[in-house]
Amino acid sequence: MSTQTAAQTRAHAKQEYDAYLAHCPSRQLLDRISDKWVALILAALGTDGPCGSGLDNCGEPRSMRYSELSRRLAGVSQKMLTQTLRSLERDGLLTRTVIPTVPVTVTYELTELGLSLHQVVRDIKEWAEGHMDQVIANRADHDARVA
């Protein structure tokens, strides 16, 4: 049996992750981060959050309260937002901070790992927003040909 350095062991383990393989754990992560609510939460907590009067850190990642996220993400149910926030916290993409006030204040903020994913998700969101007219036109053309 040959011995390996710690760096060699990590490199070998990294090579074993292949999302094309059925039982690769990276598939679960891809499933999680491709969810629309995950993408929108990451965008909201990152530089794409709401910018209003009195916010000095507009354009920078910031913490948000549950109610702020709920208002920002129109259409998300309380159950879905709670489940998504819990899963992101479990994966280490955000932190949940409880501040003992009356009533209790809970804030969410991206971790370093979450920030590393944020830019990718933000780019995809911006691509979708920037190309929506073209996609709508393509859908209409397709539907007219098929009908």
Side-chain angles (χ1 to χ4, degrees):
M1 177 187 213
S2 65
T3 59
Q4 294 182 345
T5 66
Q8 290 171 325
T9 303
R10 284 191 301 274
H12 180 68
K14 195 174 190 177
Q15 289 175 349
E16 292 179 6
Y17 292 124
D18 183 350
Y20 291 112
L21 300 175
H23 298 293
C24 182
S26 63
R27 273 199 186 187
Q28 293 173 342
L29 184 57
L30 283 171
D31 183 50
R32 165 101 12 98
I33 63 177
S34 64
D35 178 80
K36 71 177 175 185
W37 297 121
V38 168
L40 292 172
I41 288 170
L42 290 174
L45 290 173
T47 58
D48 198 35
C51 294
S53 60
L55 291 177
D56 295 333
N57 61 347
C58 186
E60 297 178 14
R62 69 184 200 95
S63 63
M64 293 178 77
R65 294 179 65 176
Y66 181 94
S67 58
E68 289 178 280
L69 282 167
S70 182
R71 283 191 300 272
R72 182 74 174 148
L73 306 175
V76 67
S77 69
Q78 181 178 351
K79 178 182 176 183
M80 181 55 67
L81 181 55
T82 299
Q83 286 176 345
T84 305
L85 289 169
R86 285 181 182 159
S87 70
L88 291 172
E89 181 182 15
R90 180 174 183 248
D91 288 341
L93 297 173
L94 61 77
T95 57
R96 178 181 184 266
T97 304
V98 178
I99 302 164
T101 57
V102 179
V104 173
T105 302
V106 179
T107 60
Y108 297 90
E109 188 170 13
L110 294 177
T111 62
E112 287 299 317
L113 185 60
L115 286 168
S116 71
L117 178 60
H118 165 261
Q119 187 59 48
V120 174
V121 171
R122 181 177 178 204
D123 289 346
I124 292 170
K125 176 189 163 289
E126 289 176 359
W127 182 92
E129 292 168 346
H131 292 86
M132 198 62 231
D133 289 339
Q134 186 178 355
V135 170
I136 289 170
N138 290 338
R139 287 177 182 172
D141 290 346
H142 177 271
D143 293 347
R145 285 191 316 268
V146 173

